[in-house]
Amino acid sequence: VDEARLRTGERVAVKIQYPEIAALVQSDLGNLRALFRAVGVLEKETDLMPLVEELGEHVPAELDFVNEARNSEAIAKGLEGRPDVYVPRVVWDYTTRRVLVTEFIDGIKINDVAALRAAGVDRVQVMQTLVEAYCVQILGHGFFHADPHPGNLVLLPGNCIGLLDFGMVGRLEERLREDIAALSL
């Protein structure tokens, strides 16, 4: 992901897919299938093939930046009304299957404890916000940001959490969400 400026002067984040990535992913999945078959031959009780099939189903969706942009907007819509969580706006005029352009946001990485301290951040409040935001996504909507590593979570001014990179999302069926919610009763 690189920072750029539109002709209007707006700062944007530009994510460009390398042309050979789809072929590399397919090759890697083929290698994993072969390796996991060999493990299955040696370890009769271990069947890793469902894992490869799951990866084969979901990884190609991560290579479609239009899909990622739609995911981003769906998550943002689900978090509407929460001033403490922010999803950068997609710039659709420049977004394609292999190029994603979003509003650029600057923030402190969520795991940069020294920078958070220096900024006087209430880390307990930030953690509570993060947990609440994920509960809303998972239990409320059943559609959630599924790659919450420090590079994808930044702290913005006002203790607002910025969520980045929506190539990987998760879904929970309504029945499972209801069952999980019933545990707290």
Side-chain angles (χ1 to χ4, degrees):
V1 177
D2 293 299
E3 180 182 349
R5 286 200 185 272
L6 299 179
R7 289 187 181 124
T8 62
E10 178 184 2
R11 289 171 69 197
V12 292
V14 181
K15 185 175 179 180
I16 300 171
Q17 188 178 111
Y18 292 104
E20 67 276 3
I21 194 70
L24 288 172
V25 166
Q26 290 306 318
S27 175
D28 287 348
L29 287 171
N31 291 337
L32 272 178
R33 279 186 189 91
L35 175 64
F36 287 3
R37 277 190 205 104
V39 168
V41 168
L42 297 172
E43 297 288 332
K44 301 285 185 211
E45 295 179 24
T46 303
D47 182 12
L48 298 174
M49 293 310 291
L51 177 60
V52 174
E53 299 313 317
E54 181 83 9
L55 286 170
E57 183 179 325
H58 294 287
V59 169
E62 289 185 48
L63 299 177
D64 181 352
F65 291 164
V66 169
N67 183 59
E68 181 172 337
R70 286 186 188 123
N71 292 343
S72 170
E73 288 187 335
I75 300 274
K77 184 170 174 52
L79 293 168
E80 272 180 345
R82 288 200 66 112
D84 53 359
V85 183
Y86 189 77
V87 175
R89 175 184 52 81
V90 174
V91 182
W92 281 106
D93 289 345
Y94 300 100
T95 295
T96 68
R97 196 175 164 284
R98 293 179 51 196
V99 177
L100 175 63
V101 180
T102 65
E103 160 190 16
F104 185 89
I105 60 173
D106 252 332
I108 303 169
K109 282 190 178 184
I110 203 86
N111 68 337
D112 188 343
V113 176
L116 294 171
R117 276 193 192 120
V121 170
D122 181 348
R123 291 179 297 148
V124 172
Q125 179 60 49
V126 168
M127 184 51 64
Q128 182 172 339
T129 298
L130 191 58
V131 169
E132 288 174 4
Y134 269 86
C135 284
V136 166
Q137 291 174 73
I138 294 168
L139 299 175
H141 304 289
F143 187 70
F144 58 95
H145 180 269
D147 196 14
H149 65 75
N152 290 340
L153 302 170
V154 295
L155 190 68
L156 306 170
N159 284 346
C160 179
I161 297 173
L163 300 178
L164 306 170
D165 191 349
F166 298 87
M168 195 179 331
V169 293
R171 290 176 172 77
L172 284 182
E173 293 181 19
E174 186 173 356
R175 177 68 185 165
L176 179 56
R177 294 190 338 255
E178 290 170 354
D179 289 346
I180 291 169
L183 291 173
S184 65
L185 299 178

